[in-house]
Amino acid sequence: MFRNYFKIAFRNLIRRKTYSLLNIAGLAIGIASCLLLFMVIRYELSYDKFQPNFNRIYHVVTEDKNSEGIDYTPGVPFPALDAFRTDFPQVKTGALFSLYGSQVTVLNNGKAVAEDKKFIEENGMCFCDPVFFEVFNFNWLAGNKEVLAQPNMVVLTQKMAEKYFGDWHTAIGQSVKLDNTITLKVAGILSNPPANTDFPLGLVASFITMKNNPSVYYYTTDWGSTTSSFQVFMLLPEKVSAASINAQLKKFSLKHYQKSDPSRYRLNYLHPIAENHFDTRFGNLGDHVTSKPTLITLSFIGVLIIIMACINFVNLSTALAIGRSKEVGVRKVLGSDRKQLIGQMMSETAFIVIVSALVAVLIAWLILPYLKHVVSLPEQLSLFSGINFLFLLIIITVVTILSGFYPSLILSGFQPVLALKSKLTTTTIGGISLRRGLVVLQFAMSQILVVATIVAVSQMNYIRTADLGFNKEAILVLKGNSDSASVARQKSFKEELLSIPGVKAVSFSTDVPSSENNWGTNFAYDHRPDEKFPLFLKFGDLDYVRTYGLQLVAGRGYFQSDTINEVLVNETLMNKMGVKNAQDMIGKEIRLGGQPWKQIVGVVKDFKTNSLRETVKPLLIAANSKFYSVTSIKLLTNNLSKAQKNIEKSWNKFYPEYAYSGSYMDESIAHFYQQEEQLAVLYKIFAGLALFISCLGLYGLVSFMAVQKTKEVGIRKVLGASVANIIYLFSKEFTILIAIAFFIAAPTAYYIMNNWLSNFAYRISIGVGVFALAIVLSILIAWITVGYKALKAAVANPVKSLRTE
Amino acid sequence: MIKLKDISKWYSNGSAKAHILRHIDLEIKEGEFASIMGPSGSGKSTLLHIMGMIDDPSEGEYSFEGESVFTLKEKQRSELYKKHIGFVFQAYHLIDELTVYENIETPLLYHKISSSERKAMVADILDRFQIVGKKDLFPEQLSGGQQQLVGIARAVITKPKLILADEPTGNLNSKQGEEIMDLFTRLNKEDGVTIVQVTHSEKNASYGSRIINLLDGKIA
């Protein structure tokens, strides 16, 4: 029986090539998109699940309520670690202090080797004590966690050991120097962690090393300062609930934090590491955070695409049903009951869906290597796995039911007498309004995606070209260290740099104008008590303003100094202080922490202190040379690469012990928005696909309509209708349907995209233009789709078309 | 075998009723070869469809082999019909997507007959109708007479007691028509199959044992 069904299905497929192609193309694209999205989402959800204690590990995070609102930070003060261990003896508490952009120098018998043996480790460098490895499970190839109880010890992953020493077996006992200050002995080797982890360890130095060198990494026993680099993780025993620990943490927070600073309300609580990969408030140590709304949006898009493909199928099959009425009539007369007919139609649908799924797998296989360009994937995913196969089976089943059920209900319901007499017409079998409804739904979905795409793309363009308030073009940023030996060399380094042709200006500073760094402090203004919000700091020499083209709205820049002497503030601070006229700020005094009062000499026009997702922060700029670690070099744009080469040479001359790492300011700013950029690309792809699938369906319907209307067109032409009249006849209905779809799509898209835009502090407003563009685009595309078939029908010779009757 | 009592059928057209059949009383005995004749629109085909249980009258009673058809449930009716009735159409109504062999095999699938038995039955009938050489052709590759031959083969393969034929020779030339009528006669005489045919042709009607004349939905 089934063989017979499949045989007919196959012959039908061959016979109606165009429709089969349209159906299979739509379904295959839909299934392939779903499959790829499924793989990406599953991968994102798999982060750190390989940890055997995944469900019992919690990150201790801090909620900091102040007058500005609530700040969330992933870190805790250093002394909290020992306090946790004392107050929570039943819990294993591991800690990790991470470093970014540290330099590792591979030593040869205690001496630095050739200059290529210096490495800048952007991430993966951290300090841990043995308990961390009781909380998290890592595989030791050599050594064990106890080595981290001793000072000046480091453990490397296999990959790092091979990078530094060639063969990890020879690494044990060798030494590396960290940031040119601390020498560490390699005491253990870890096997490489999987790629889907937010704890991408590379080098793990013993925590006691850091404690023993408090000045190097600012280790402090002060309860008042919190760094996001110091993070604490708790492994709860089997039967202890997070709620009970949270209750204790509340008491703990009151006891320790209120005492140190009663003006702030700080609270520690447990945050499951299952959330680690998704919570943008806390971030993670890996290379990206994927917000849950992004995952939901992607799943939603996947569902939309597959529904659209199913709609095509339903539309085409019900339209084609008339052509099959004879077959159904005959089968009924030959004794088939309705159930058997439904069975037959469903197996035909299943056949087409299975063929489409096979094509989809091929598409997915071809696309997979390019996937990493649009989503953050640290490794290539494998297509052929059991879970993907299962997902494909589920998709096949669901799609078969969604697309096959309604058409088979329609077909199997034919009255045999009517069916055999060919008395069935589009109107008698009904479903026209349903088909129209489906077309409307389909176009509504694609218009939503089109609007979303236009908005997302314009927002990204807006950000890319936004006036940050400073000049980011052709500025090379070199990251160094702010130890006294480095700072001492800065003056002559600057002189040499300025002598290089193409260098316009050079400035040393703690930070670039726009970055993800937040260095803040409490402060007082104009001899008033301390303000309730923090003031953010960027220190730079007197060329800072000139190098970045910052604009002064009042006063002047500060004079040459090595310590904070005169200061600049930004307009945001001025506004917060309630000052209307910038001139009124000049001469006022400001006090940072417990330091002496300093005079404000100028007000800078606001520039974006952080990413455009955040608002501009109140800021102070002043000289303070002992913290300068960043060198910013403004270049002439005509010969960048030559200048850059000379700069590198000069760097290596002045700082032979430091690896050179130069990057352009505009590139690092672009990196802020990587996630949004990727999302915008994804939107573009999916909106294109959605439009394409809707057009496939439309094309199918119009081809069908052209056949149906052959006679009508013939008669009309005999009666004197022009080609234009006929084309109008065809496009009228679809234009109306698309217009209706627009009224559904416009408000929905507006709502969704307004939400998305609210992630940005600086954003475009959604204008009428976006919607106009969306509807014009979809009507235009629909017309092009309809046009060909309509034109063909319109120019056909009426004598010929009438003779077929 | 068939007893129709007071069968009427009409379509409501607004307030007016358009009558197709009026108060038909008719009995067909087992082994009969009856021809229904009458002008276009006299209700011949409708009467045949009602006998074949693929159309329902507006009122009246129908008993088939002593079973009251209209009181049966859909499923039982379908069983009854599947077991005893074969249909032959003017336009042959073969399934275009299936070969001759598969077309003939199709009713057997709905009778849930095993694969090996199906093979034997189809081979047998192909042989009997002398169309073995055509078994892998599709309907469109056959002449009208051949298609109708296949249509009849398909109707008789389930060994029905009753064959209902709706102008079986209407689309055929006279020579092809004669062959088909000869075939019906043989089926009736040799296999004892009851045949009811609708026809316009006096000549075709003469093959049968009885003529029922319909005029304006009434038996004349």
Side-chain angles (χ1 to χ4, degrees):
Chain A
M1 185 88 86
F2 276 103
R3 221 187 57 197
N4 188 287
Y5 291 164
F6 277 115
K7 208 152 49 185
I8 295 189
F10 180 69
R11 286 185 192 148
N12 268 326
L13 209 69
I14 301 296
R15 179 181 282 246
R16 294 192 265 259
K17 281 193 195 70
T18 321
Y19 296 116
S20 314
L21 212 65
L22 292 177
N23 267 334
I24 291 177
L27 285 174
I29 291 171
I31 295 174
S33 317
C34 271
L35 182 61
L36 289 173
L37 285 174
F38 170 75
M39 286 165 66
V40 169
I41 291 169
R42 207 178 79 85
Y43 187 79
E44 290 288 345
L45 293 175
S46 74
Y47 270 71
D48 291 315
K49 285 230 172 93
F50 59 85
Q51 285 293 345
N53 299 323
F54 182 74
N55 289 319
R56 289 193 285 133
I57 302 177
Y58 292 85
H59 182 187
V60 182
V61 295
T62 308
E63 186 187 282
D64 188 345
K65 273 188 203 153
N66 51 39
S67 65
E68 283 288 277
I70 302 176
D71 283 333
Y72 293 94
T73 139
V76 294
F78 287 110
L81 176 61
D82 288 330
F84 284 139
R85 286 180 178 163
T86 315
D87 290 14
F88 298 85
Q90 75 277 36
V91 170
K92 279 190 180 131
T93 307
L96 168 151
F97 179 82
S98 54
L99 291 179
Y100 296 95
S102 273
Q103 179 175 322
V104 176
T105 313
V106 178
L107 299 182
N108 195 358
N109 296 328
K111 271 167 132 182
V113 289
E115 46 183 87
D116 59 341
K117 285 296 223 178
K118 290 184 299 239
F119 303 91
I120 301 278
E121 299 303 345
E122 281 307 327
N123 51 34
M125 169 68 218
C126 62
F127 292 95
C128 294
D129 65 5
V131 190
F132 181 81
F133 290 91
E134 289 169 30
V135 176
F136 288 94
N137 190 54
F138 284 85
N139 187 26
W140 292 79
L141 294 175
N144 58 53
K145 64 181 193 303
E146 296 310 329
V147 299
L148 291 174
Q150 298 157 38
N152 301 329
M153 290 295 176
V154 69
V155 169
L156 304 177
T157 57
Q158 187 188 339
K159 196 172 121 204
M160 283 299 168
E162 280 163 1
K163 180 170 148 190
Y164 297 155
F165 303 104
D167 180 3
W168 67 265
H169 294 94
T170 63
I172 299 279
Q174 306 248 33
S175 298
V176 296
K177 197 164 193 180
L178 186 62
D179 288 323
N180 286 304
T181 44
I182 305 170
T183 302
L184 300 167
K185 198 172 137 203
V186 178
I189 306 289
L190 297 170
S191 45
N192 295 328
N196 52 344
T197 179
D198 286 321
F199 299 92
L201 302 187
L203 297 89
V204 185
S206 55
F207 189 63
I208 182 108
T209 314
M210 187 194 167
K211 267 184 164 169
N212 290 350
N213 297 275
S215 62
V216 184
Y217 298 110
Y218 310 109
Y219 178 83
T220 163
T221 51
D222 174 17
W223 279 87
S225 81
T226 303
T227 162
S228 56
S229 296
F230 185 63
Q231 305 190 1
V232 163
F233 297 88
M234 285 185 171
L235 173 64
L236 304 197
E238 297 274 3
K239 280 180 189 120
V240 174
S241 74
S244 69
I245 299 289
N246 272 333
Q248 291 181 58
L249 277 172
K250 205 167 185 173
K251 283 182 215 142
F252 175 93
S253 304
L254 279 175
K255 181 167 115 195
H256 293 284
Y257 298 129
Q258 286 304 100
K259 204 167 57 186
S260 80
D261 185 355
S263 73
R264 290 150 80 193
Y265 177 74
R266 278 185 292 172
L267 173 70
N268 284 143
Y269 66 94
L270 295 180
H271 191 244
I273 62 155
E275 290 297 319
N276 205 29
H277 191 62
F278 309 106
D279 201 324
T280 46
R281 291 176 304 174
F282 301 111
N284 60 45
L285 305 170
D287 72 340
H288 70 281
V289 175
T290 302
S291 69
K292 281 262 165 82
T294 304
L295 289 183
I296 291 168
T297 308
L298 288 182
S299 328
F300 181 66
I301 289 177
V303 172
L304 278 192
I305 295 269
I306 203 90
I307 286 180
M308 291 175 77
C310 291
I311 287 178
N312 274 0
F313 193 98
V314 172
N315 272 342
L316 284 178
S317 336
T318 42
L320 288 177
I322 299 165
R324 302 192 60 178
S325 62
K326 190 181 116 186
E327 183 195 333
V328 171
V330 172
R331 283 187 185 276
K332 281 205 160 176
V333 168
L334 293 179
S336 167
D337 59 34
R338 194 163 181 186
K339 244 192 283 170
Q340 283 167 317
L341 276 172
I342 292 180
Q344 182 193 343
M345 301 304 162
M346 291 302 277
S347 29
E348 285 189 21
T349 311
F351 179 74
I352 293 178
V353 176
I354 289 169
V355 171
S356 310
L358 292 177
V359 178
V361 170
L362 183 72
I363 296 176
W365 181 72
L366 290 173
I367 288 179
L368 205 54
Y370 303 99
L371 206 58
K372 62 173 183 291
H373 298 298
V374 283
V375 286
S376 308
L377 289 177
E379 61 183 333
Q380 174 135 5
L381 304 181
S382 84
L383 183 61
F384 302 100
S385 69
I387 188 90
N388 288 351
F389 182 70
L390 190 70
F391 177 75
L392 212 55
L393 277 186
I394 293 171
I395 280 275
I396 289 175
T397 314
V398 171
V399 168
T400 302
I401 291 169
L402 277 183
S403 356
F405 191 67
Y406 179 72
S408 43
L409 219 58
I410 289 275
L411 265 174
S412 63
F414 287 165
Q415 289 290 317
V417 178
L418 292 180
L420 287 175
K421 284 184 184 160
S422 302
K423 275 191 178 160
L424 289 172
T425 60
T426 347
T427 34
T428 49
I429 63 165
I432 286 196
S433 48
L434 178 98
R435 267 209 310 279
R436 286 189 183 132
L438 290 178
V439 170
V440 167
L441 188 64
Q442 213 174 22
F443 269 91
M445 289 177 191
S446 47
Q447 284 178 2
I448 290 174
L449 284 175
V450 168
V451 170
T453 307
I454 299 173
V455 172
V457 171
S458 355
Q459 171 69 16
M460 292 326 293
N461 279 341
Y462 173 74
I463 283 182
R464 211 177 294 120
T465 57
D467 181 14
L468 298 174
F470 63 91
N471 195 333
K472 64 178 198 283
E473 306 302 327
I475 291 183
L476 189 67
V477 178
L478 313 179
K479 293 218 167 103
N481 215 335
S482 59
D483 57 286
S484 54
S486 296
V487 171
R489 277 173 270 177
Q490 279 171 350
K491 191 163 174 278
S492 38
F493 179 47
K494 187 170 182 173
E495 275 163 17
E496 172 145 337
L497 285 176
L498 285 169
S499 71
I500 294 172
V503 172
K504 271 167 82 179
V506 176
S507 165
F508 295 108
S509 59
T510 52
D511 195 7
V512 296
S514 196
S515 75
E516 279 163 329
N517 296 343
N518 286 319
W519 184 0
T521 176
N522 54 332
F523 77 106
Y525 169 74
D526 201 18
H527 299 274
R528 302 202 288 236
D530 269 18
E531 301 295 332
K532 293 271 183 238
F533 61 90
L535 178 66
F536 291 83
L537 307 175
K538 288 186 198 279
F539 294 128
D541 61 16
L542 78 167
D543 287 324
Y544 192 68
V545 171
R546 192 164 70 89
T547 307
Y548 282 103
L550 304 181
Q551 293 165 34
L552 289 169
V553 291
R556 55 170 175 83
Y558 44 81
F559 293 128
Q560 170 60 37
S561 166
D562 283 334
T563 53
I564 308 175
N565 189 12
E566 301 164 317
V567 304
L568 295 175
V569 295
N570 69 353
E571 289 175 309
T572 301
L573 180 75
M574 177 181 101
N575 295 335
K576 280 198 172 260
M577 295 292 88
V579 179
K580 294 264 153 49
N581 189 342
Q583 285 299 340
D584 298 343
M585 291 292 282
I586 310 296
K588 291 280 180 345
E589 288 190 315
I590 204 161
R591 186 185 66 191
L592 303 179
Q595 294 173 25
W597 291 91
K598 304 289 175 194
Q599 197 182 31
I600 297 173
V601 295
V603 178
V604 291
K605 192 164 172 245
D606 270 346
F607 57 87
K608 307 296 182 280
T609 48
N610 297 73
S611 86
L612 293 187
R613 261 175 248 123
E614 299 168 68
T615 50
V616 174
K617 296 184 166 158
L619 182 76
L620 177 138
I621 305 173
N624 199 353
S625 65
K626 69 175 175 191
F627 292 112
Y628 297 162
S629 60
V630 174
T631 313
S632 307
I633 306 165
K634 174 80 180 166
L635 299 170
L636 289 172
T637 44
N638 52 15
N639 203 347
L640 289 179
S641 62
K642 191 161 173 244
Q644 203 183 332
K645 246 180 232 144
N646 286 326
I647 290 167
E648 183 171 353
K649 227 184 267 166
S650 174
W651 171 273
N652 288 332
K653 190 172 119 196
F654 280 90
Y655 297 100
E657 74 274 35
Y658 289 104
Y660 169 84
S661 69
S663 63
Y664 284 100
M665 184 67 205
D666 44 358
E667 282 164 18
S668 31
I669 287 178
H671 189 74
F672 283 178
Y673 308 107
Q674 197 194 355
Q675 275 237 338
E676 284 85 358
E677 284 284 356
Q678 285 179 341
L679 213 58
V681 173
L682 278 182
Y683 277 145
K684 269 191 222 172
I685 293 172
F686 283 114
L689 284 182
L691 265 182
F692 180 68
I693 291 178
S694 335
C695 287
L696 281 185
L698 200 56
Y699 182 80
L701 279 185
V702 171
S703 333
F704 171 76
M705 210 165 106
V707 177
Q708 285 275 296
K709 290 198 185 234
T710 309
K711 191 177 162 194
E712 183 188 337
V713 170
I715 296 170
R716 280 176 190 272
K717 284 196 78 175
V718 169
L719 296 176
S722 70
V723 171
N725 292 147
I726 304 294
I727 291 179
Y728 173 72
L729 179 78
F730 277 92
S731 36
K732 183 181 68 182
E733 183 178 332
F734 292 113
T735 311
I736 294 172
L737 293 185
I738 291 172
I740 296 172
F742 178 72
F743 285 107
I744 300 170
T748 317
Y750 181 80
Y751 174 76
I752 294 173
M753 291 322 284
N754 234 1
N755 264 345
W756 181 76
L757 282 177
S758 64
N759 289 329
F760 294 87
Y762 297 90
R763 53 182 180 255
I764 55 168
S765 56
I766 306 177
V768 185
V770 173
F771 295 101
L773 189 60
I775 187 152
V776 166
L777 199 69
S778 40
I779 286 186
L780 212 64
I781 291 177
W783 275 351
I784 294 169
T785 314
V786 173
Y788 169 72
K789 275 283 165 185
L791 193 68
K792 223 170 122 189
V795 297
N797 185 345
V799 178
K800 223 170 158 184
S801 53
L802 286 179
R803 202 171 14 191
T804 54
E805 280 297 304
Chain B
M1 175 178 237
I2 289 177
K3 268 189 200 148
L4 296 176
K5 210 176 147 196
D6 202 23
I7 293 285
S8 292
K9 185 166 178 76
W10 63 79
Y11 292 108
S12 299
N13 207 346
S15 56
K17 277 183 189 172
H19 271 276
I20 313 268
L21 295 172
R22 296 166 196 267
H23 311 294
I24 302 277
D25 290 309
L26 181 63
E27 187 169 350
I28 308 275
K29 294 208 168 57
E30 195 150 355
E32 266 193 300
F33 184 168
S35 305
I36 304 174
M37 295 190 72
S40 289
S42 57
K44 306 182 298 283
S45 295
T46 307
L47 183 58
L48 198 73
H49 289 150
I50 289 173
M51 285 189 213
M53 302 175 201
I54 59 176
D55 204 352
D56 293 329
S58 306
E59 60 181 31
E61 282 170 36
Y62 176 12
S63 91
F64 184 90
E65 299 255 281
E67 295 228 47
S68 176
V69 174
F70 301 138
T71 58
L72 291 179
K73 282 189 184 138
E74 181 65 37
K75 205 162 181 184
Q76 295 164 312
R77 206 160 114 186
S78 149
E79 279 304 313
L80 186 69
Y81 150 90
K82 227 159 56 174
K83 215 161 139 194
H84 299 298
I85 300 176
F87 250 101
V88 177
F89 302 94
Q90 176 179 6
Y92 334 124
H93 285 332
L94 301 179
I95 298 177
D96 298 332
E97 289 82 6
L98 299 182
T99 62
V100 166
Y101 184 97
E102 289 158 359
N103 261 293
I104 297 175
E105 188 189 25
T106 304
L108 299 180
L109 295 174
Y110 297 129
H111 282 77
K112 305 209 160 70
I113 290 167
S114 75
S115 156
S116 55
E117 222 174 317
R118 283 203 309 264
K119 246 182 217 162
M121 287 169 82
V122 177
D124 183 48
I125 211 130
L126 285 169
D127 198 31
R128 219 171 113 199
F129 282 53
Q130 296 172 351
I131 45 175
V132 180
K134 308 259 186 307
K135 72 177 167 60
D136 292 325
L137 298 181
F138 286 92
E140 60 193 12
Q141 296 166 296
L142 300 176
S143 73
Q146 290 165 336
Q147 288 193 42
Q148 192 59 295
L149 217 52
V150 176
I152 296 169
R154 186 179 65 179
V156 301
I157 193 160
T158 55
K159 305 207 166 65
K161 283 186 177 164
L162 171 68
I163 286 182
L164 299 171
D166 193 354
E167 302 202 39
T169 62
N171 287 10
L172 303 178
N173 64 31
S174 57
K175 190 171 167 289
Q176 291 169 329
E178 274 171 31
E179 283 171 17
I180 296 298
M181 291 319 294
D182 284 339
L183 181 60
F184 275 140
T185 316
R186 260 186 294 149
L187 285 170
N188 180 241
K189 294 258 153 49
E190 293 169 18
D191 301 315
V193 179
T194 311
I195 295 176
V196 179
Q197 68 165 343
V198 164
T199 182
H200 277 298
S201 138
E202 293 282 349
K203 196 182 148 214
N204 283 352
S206 70
Y207 283 84
S209 52
R210 177 181 170 193
I211 292 176
I212 300 150
N213 276 304
L214 269 190
L215 187 65
D216 294 335
K218 283 185 197 159
I219 295 180

